[in-house]
Amino acid sequence: MKLTTSMLSAALFGAAFASTPLVFAEQPVLITEEEQVIGWKPLFDGKTLKGIDSWKSRKALEAGGWSVKDGVLTLAAKSGGGDIYFPASLAENYELELEWNTKGNSGVFLRVDPSGKGAIWANALEMQVINDTANDRGTHSAGALYDFIGMRKGRKVLNEDGWNKVKIICRNSEFTHYLNGKELYRYTVGDETWFDKRLPKSKFKNNKDYGMLQKGVIGLQDHGDEVSYRNIKFRELTGADAANEAQKFRKKIFSKRGPVIGNVLSGNDDAYDVNCAYYVNLLDDSTNVGAVFNADTFQLAGAWTNGGGAGFHGLPYQGGHGATPSWNEKLALFAAKNQPGWANADGSFSDPRASDGQLPNLGSLPKDWAKFNGYYVADGKVVFSYSVGEASVLDSPDAVQIDATKVIVRQLELSKLSKAKELYIADSKGEVAVDASGTIAKVNGTTFVASAGAKFSAKDGAIYLTISANKSEKSITLAVWTGKTAPAEVIAAVSKFAPLSASIKGGKPRYSTEKPIVTTGKVSTKKAPYVTDKITLPHDNPFGLKIRVGGFDFFEGGKSLAFSTWDGDLWKVTGIDEKLEKLEYQLIATGLHETLGLTIVDNTIYTVGNDQITKHHDLNGDGETDFFETFNNDWKINKGFHIFSFDLKTDAEGNFWFAQGSPVRSGGRGFERISPTNGSIFKVSKEGSTLEQFASGFRSPNGIGVGPNGEITAGDNEGSFMPRCPIHWVTKDYFGGVVDTYAQKEKLKSSIWGAKPEVNDVSEMAKPLMWLPMDVDNSGGSQVWTTDERFGMPKDQLLHCSYGKSSVYRVFHETVNGQVQGGVTKVPFPALTSSALRARFNPADGQLFIGGLKGWQTNAAELGGIDRIRFTGAQHNTVTLVQAKEKGLLVHFNFELDGELAGDPESYSIKAANIKWSEVYGSKEYLIDDATKQGWSKLAVTAAKLQEDKKSVFLSIDNMQPMHELKLDVDVETKDLDEAIFPVWMTIHELGK
């Protein structure tokens, strides 16, 4: 370490000396020894006007309106002193401190362009300086970011002597403002909040470049009033000191899940949104160099060497509703709009995707134009595989550093290229100069270089690259950088890159550990029909990964399983046996896009995320995914934070099934931009070639079920058009209840959310198998069918998981007049580790395994968990079916009843209610005979008759009618006089004879 004199002094004389004020050239600006060591310097020397320039003249400030006395820089009222700035403060990242005192109005300008034209305030951020009170907290009050951000109550404190200390920290566009030692607010210039909420509400709304200058100077305003400043000091931030919170978090995410992460990346301009994005970290672990590949349009949508404003906002990384990961195309080295990245067979770039009037168009290009095959990961290298027409393409972003210059590299390897192909590379942002060879293009200080066999062209405000035909293998390298580095140096550096074929065979293990990751499960010793055994997950793992289980399935034999997480990770666990003494875990993959579904077919893992169904391939036998094959990605996704792809199941014919949510708005009411495939149940063919939108009109169907005879069920989540959580019995073209996401909404009379006037045709309300009251299930999960009788229930018994209540329900159903209806009873077992999100029966022991996570709207105890619900062999008394009749209910039990209590009407009590279907969030309960009054109706059981089988009772009930929610409380005894007390919940659409 290089030890300066100041550092040595501090080391020798201790912290007391380090805090001793220093005086530079006899000036009274106080800078401590410690501050000097870390780079603080005065912008104003306290004695002269040296180092201060006039905005008007752009020359050194002369004495006049501004004067210096006793270490104070003062502007006299109405003196015409003019706005000023400090040339020595030119920096991108910095800390600024100063004190002000005024009887009027002034301001501290940030990001001033010293070469800019017009008024100093036209493009510069301003922290307001004004004589007011601590109760003034608006956007024009002292301390405010002028016309943008005011202050919350209690944040603003003003000193009695009139001198107020300001501190401003800027780290890569993230600003933090302090006044008199208290943080006032934070903001990030150029993020989604800035462009969507802050800028449009300001007087600068028509200036999209306002505040966007990255490297500027500090200025002070002449507003015509007297104002004084003192102790103006400044420190440029570099390296780790310059990293803002978003950068630090980005580094943390990539350190755990890199080198590629699938998600959306929302641009500042919607035209640059990348909905099927693969964000690749390049060069080093700083995460300042990166690129984003758009798998919808087959283009490198952008790359950067300065962080690109990219941040992992929102779910699943930081929580919160509404936000999504984003990037700032204005900060990128180059950027391309969300449009076709390659010309079609006719040489056209015209976007064939349907337009709904918003940008970008949604979905992938037609498969005869281009088809995405997936991506390889090996030794930090990411290689995307796809076809364009007849040509096969490997496409990989990379980077190299030459001295101080960071160069973005794009490697392309093509085969079967029967004719020349043209690529859309980037928007030009200015006049493009292409050299005579066509291999070098320059625009606004950025240089593009292509290897032999490709030539640049410029048209329509963009840069294109044409690759000549070659039916054999063809390699093209594209390099982009800013600065004075010579093209020859760059070409020499990138010529050393290994061919992409070396990176599609698997690499060194990415997730190896010094010691195996082993836990011990907990086997219950309780005495009950059903007990809970815990599969202890490695929450304290060497990778620092959250384990929030989104899907799981068993490998052949049932002794091991794979599970995916909401965060996009994939794990395998072995040692699943009776005792659970040694559970060993291996991390298989990371960086997937919110993987909330998983299935295993022929011992091969398939996961579903928002982007695709991924078939996982281990190419070198180390147990890790090396090739992430795109099994199917034919649905259209957009950037809504709530658009999850839920669950993944297969049917007896080998088809795959999953559900997709709708773009629910932050807060849960209404919807953001809806794609034609949102809110749907999908069927994917066995080989993955076709996707069928089987049913639609769902809100957030967080789990499905596939029955032994092809039955399809689904849950959903209460909200707009979803008055309560249902269990849907799904048939072809079934309407789940949400008008906005119904594929055939034009056939409905009912209106979409937000329409005026609102139209709700009650006859169009969905009729699920059951509507579940809030205290039964406030957020549904998967359904599963028993595979045999080892679980203490008949084969092919339907079960429903409640994610919200962390419970499992036994589902009964009947079909009356063609309508499926039914109800549930609760399966009793000790508390789960986490929620009941997903369920599978283990082929080895026939027991039910439950996996889940803790998000919102759940009572889950832990972040994630997998449990075994084990049947002990003890009798569990319950109802197996309730049939709705015109005169009452025929209730079937799984045990013989004691005749006395079974025949007593007092052994049963019933209440019922209806709910209302509308665009509002959820519903209240209403009396079944008066839809204007809230509450539950009580139904009298007038007689109870034990049937001949001794296992069923007919309950005579007056006023039988269809009803959305019915609760039957049972208090009877078995023939052996054991108590059987439990509730039954059901929905009645039709009455049988």
Side-chain angles (χ1 to χ4, degrees), residues 115-410:
S115 62
K117 299 179 180 179
I120 192 173
W121 51 263
N123 288 295
L125 305 170
E126 179 187 350
M127 186 176 185
Q128 181 72 59
V129 171
I130 197 168
N131 182 23
D132 62 11
T133 72
N135 292 324
D136 296 309
R137 305 193 308 275
T139 59
H140 291 188
S141 64
L145 182 66
Y146 178 76
D147 217 46
F148 280 83
I149 305 175
M151 289 142 289
R152 284 183 287 177
K153 187 176 181 179
R155 290 288 181 96
K156 180 177 175 181
V157 176
L158 296 176
N159 292 332
E160 293 183 2
D161 64 357
W163 282 104
N164 296 289
K165 184 176 181 180
V166 166
K167 181 175 183 178
I168 299 171
I169 303 174
C170 174
R171 291 187 171 99
N172 288 292
S173 297
E174 181 183 277
F175 287 81
T176 308
H177 289 231
Y178 300 83
L179 184 64
N180 294 321
K182 296 197 72 171
E183 181 180 324
L184 297 179
Y185 46 79
R186 295 185 181 197
Y187 58 95
T188 300
V189 177
D191 68 359
E192 274 192 291
T193 300
W194 180 265
F195 281 108
D196 293 347
K197 297 180 180 179
R198 300 199 193 283
L199 187 63
K201 295 179 181 179
S202 78
K203 63 187 291 184
F204 306 99
K205 61 185 177 183
N206 294 324
N207 181 4
K208 299 299 183 182
D209 292 325
Y210 181 79
M212 291 296 294
L213 181 71
Q214 296 299 297
K215 195 171 186 179
V217 298
I218 306 299
L220 300 176
Q221 184 184 45
D222 177 0
H223 203 274
D225 300 322
E226 180 180 328
V227 64
S228 296
Y229 294 93
R230 70 184 185 190
N231 294 331
I232 308 172
K233 55 187 180 181
F234 180 88
R235 176 169 84 105
E236 184 174 9
L237 300 176
T238 59
D241 288 338
N244 61 31
E245 292 304 313
Q247 287 176 299
K248 293 175 183 176
F249 190 74
R250 185 175 68 222
K251 183 173 182 178
K252 179 181 178 182
I253 293 295
F254 267 113
S255 70
K256 296 178 179 180
R257 297 189 167 88
V260 58
I261 294 175
N263 210 296
V264 303
L265 276 187
S266 175
N268 283 320
D269 184 330
D270 291 343
Y272 293 90
D273 286 352
V274 186
N275 295 324
C276 194
Y278 294 98
Y279 177 6
V280 184
N281 183 50
L282 303 173
L283 196 62
D284 56 35
D285 63 0
S286 70
T287 71
N288 288 327
V289 183
V292 55
F293 182 83
N294 188 338
D296 278 339
T297 54
F298 305 88
Q299 63 185 155
L300 202 59
W304 48 85
T305 58
N306 60 355
F312 289 101
H313 311 294
L315 303 173
Y317 312 107
Q318 298 190 55
H321 284 198
T324 58
S326 62
W327 71 304
N328 187 341
E329 70 276 1
K330 294 184 178 182
L331 301 181
L333 182 63
F334 66 87
K337 294 183 180 69
N338 190 322
Q339 296 173 358
W342 293 74
N344 67 8
D346 298 324
S348 172
F349 283 94
S350 180
D351 194 341
R353 299 173 296 170
S355 172
D356 62 359
Q358 302 181 65
L359 291 176
N361 293 340
L362 302 179
S364 186
L365 299 178
K367 284 186 169 56
D368 59 354
W369 185 322
K371 181 180 183 296
F372 190 55
N373 300 321
Y375 58 97
Y376 299 85
V377 177
D379 301 323
K381 185 86 168 176
V382 180
V383 181
F384 299 99
S385 171
Y386 54 92
S387 61
V388 180
E390 77 290 349
S392 297
V393 182
L394 295 177
D395 191 342
S396 178
D398 211 322
V400 64
Q401 184 159 346
I402 303 171
D403 296 326
T405 301
K406 296 174 181 177
V407 181
I408 297 294
V409 179
R410 183 179 181 184

Side-chain angles (χ1 to χ4, degrees), residues 884-904:
K885 306 292 184 179
E886 291 178 347
K887 300 296 184 180
L889 299 175
L890 181 57
V891 185
H892 300 264
F893 297 85
N894 69 342
F895 58 92
E896 288 192 23
L897 292 146
D898 169 66
E900 182 178 355
L901 283 180
D904 183 357

Side-chain angles (χ1 to χ4, degrees), residues 107-121:
V108 179
F109 291 121
L110 313 172
R111 290 191 161 182
V112 174
D113 183 355
S115 62
K117 299 179 180 179
I120 192 173
W121 51 263

Side-chain angles (χ1 to χ4, degrees), residues 528-530 790-792 847 870-876:
Y530 294 98
R790 287 179 290 174
F791 191 58
Q847 302 308 297
R870 177 166 47 87
F871 177 57
T872 64
Q875 174 66 24
H876 165 52

Side-chain angles (χ1 to χ4, degrees), residues 347-519:
S348 172
F349 283 94
S350 180
D351 194 341
R353 299 173 296 170
S355 172
D356 62 359
Q358 302 181 65
L359 291 176
N361 293 340
L362 302 179
S364 186
L365 299 178
K367 284 186 169 56
D368 59 354
W369 185 322
K371 181 180 183 296
F372 190 55
N373 300 321
Y375 58 97
Y376 299 85
V377 177
D379 301 323
K381 185 86 168 176
V382 180
V383 181
F384 299 99
S385 171
Y386 54 92
S387 61
V388 180
E390 77 290 349
S392 297
V393 182
L394 295 177
D395 191 342
S396 178
D398 211 322
V400 64
Q401 184 159 346
I402 303 171
D403 296 326
T405 301
K406 296 174 181 177
V407 181
I408 297 294
V409 179
R410 183 179 181 184
Q411 288 181 272
L412 292 161
E413 289 187 6
L414 305 97
S415 60
K416 303 177 184 177
L417 188 62
S418 60
K419 63 179 182 178
K421 293 284 186 183
E422 190 174 16
L423 291 79
Y424 164 41
I425 300 299
D427 297 328
S428 60
K429 300 180 182 179
E431 186 174 348
V432 180
V434 180
D435 76 341
S437 71
T439 60
I440 300 177
K442 294 186 177 182
V443 56
N444 292 341
T446 300
T447 302
F448 294 75
V449 168
S451 59
K455 291 186 178 182
F456 290 109
S457 62
K459 56 185 177 182
D460 303 323
I463 300 172
Y464 293 83
L465 185 73
T466 299
I467 301 175
S468 60
N470 191 329
K471 293 185 179 181
S472 60
E473 300 289 334
K474 186 178 185 70
S475 297
I476 297 294
T477 303
L478 172 67
V480 189
W481 72 97
T482 58
K484 298 180 179 180
T485 302
E489 291 184 76
V490 174
I491 292 171
V494 300
S495 67
K496 299 176 183 178
F497 280 36
L500 297 183
S501 56
S503 298
I504 61 172
K505 302 173 183 177
K508 298 176 182 177
R510 303 189 295 279
Y511 314 115
S512 58
T513 57
E514 291 184 6
K515 297 179 180 179
I517 302 173
V518 176
T519 70

